[in-house]
Amino acid sequence: MPRSFWDRWAGFYDLAERTNRTAVDGILRAVVKRIPAGAGVLECAAGTGAISIAAASRAGHVLCTDMSLPMLEQAKTKAARLGLANISFERRDLLSLPDPDDWYDVTVAANVLHLLPAPEDAVRELWRVTRPGGLLLLPTFLQGEGGWGFTNILIPAYQLAGFRPKHRFTRRSYREMIDGCGLGRADYILVKGRLPAGLAVLQKP
């Protein structure tokens, strides 16, 4: 299988995240404070595991998943360094999860929806495995609202390296996409940064 952009860049991912540290740290805080104590958490497209590792401080168990094995290896190394015993790792496709319906207390997919041709399919699949009363948390960078440096320098540089986003969400278009999934009321939080993020929070009835 050919190595993907994410496989090739796994070793540089955390460094790239530092260029937008204000938003990244804001996402971590916003997600973690919404994790109930002892919750069962699934994170999809977890990258090198920053959110999963932070969530483990509150959750009963976190399943950290990604399609890229090199990304998961980075996440495993960080979790082992911290001595975390309540986190596990699997390679999974968030569009086709093997879990039963209504399985997790919290599901999370951060900064991946803009990469998918039909992000609504991923949102609905994550909703399927979220239990009634549980939360679906979807923080997503708003590439349509990035600062000059991101818009004109960093994102074009990533594209030259193989980064292929399918959407450039703004606050409005992101809200329209989530609302269009037909899952009911969502709360929207703006996470500020050089490349801001929108966090959609949905609670399953």
Side-chain angles (χ1 to χ4, degrees):
M1 179 181 295
R3 284 166 58 86
S4 71
F5 169 84
W6 305 104
D7 293 342
R8 297 193 306 272
W9 282 81
F12 302 97
Y13 186 81
D14 289 345
L15 181 62
E17 293 280 87
R18 290 176 198 161
T19 64
N20 195 31
R21 176 169 283 176
T22 298
V24 170
D25 289 349
I27 288 170
L28 285 174
R29 289 192 298 270
V31 169
V32 171
K33 78 177 187 178
R34 289 172 171 80
I35 305 292
V41 178
L42 169 69
E43 186 185 8
C44 292
T48 59
I51 290 176
S52 287
I53 288 168
S57 66
R58 293 177 58 83
H61 183 266
V62 178
L63 177 56
C64 175
T65 74
D66 199 280
M67 282 293 289
S68 169
L69 291 176
M71 286 283 191
L72 287 175
E73 287 302 319
Q74 294 281 332
K76 287 180 185 179
T77 297
K78 291 194 286 186
R81 192 181 300 131
L82 293 170
L84 296 177
N86 63 332
I87 186 169
S88 56
F89 304 87
E90 290 185 16
R91 184 176 187 268
R92 286 196 179 180
D93 179 355
L94 84 167
L95 295 172
S96 182
L97 297 171
D99 308 289
D101 296 352
D102 306 333
W103 193 250
Y104 296 98
D105 299 303
V106 181
T107 53
V108 185
N111 303 320
V112 65
L113 298 180
H114 60 286
L115 302 176
L116 305 174
E120 299 87 351
D121 293 343
V123 174
R124 293 188 184 103
E125 178 67 348
L126 290 161
W127 190 248
R128 179 185 69 78
V129 301
T130 305
R131 71 165 180 83
L135 292 177
L136 171 56
L137 306 176
L138 299 168
T140 299
F141 287 135
L142 302 173
Q143 292 189 36
E145 299 191 11
W148 188 91
F150 265 91
T151 301
N152 295 285
I153 298 174
L154 284 176
I155 291 176
Y158 295 153
Q159 289 174 323
L160 286 173
F163 176 62
R164 296 289 182 265
K166 305 298 183 184
H167 304 274
R168 291 174 59 86
F169 288 120
T170 62
R171 276 173 278 186
R172 179 176 179 177
S173 63
Y174 186 55
R175 180 188 291 263
E176 288 174 347
M177 185 275 290
I178 296 292
D179 289 349
C181 292
L183 304 179
R185 180 179 175 273
D187 292 326
Y188 295 93
I189 298 157
L190 177 65
V191 182
K192 296 182 179 180
R194 295 172 65 191
L195 182 62
L199 170 58
V201 180
L202 298 97
Q203 184 166 30
K204 193 169 184 177

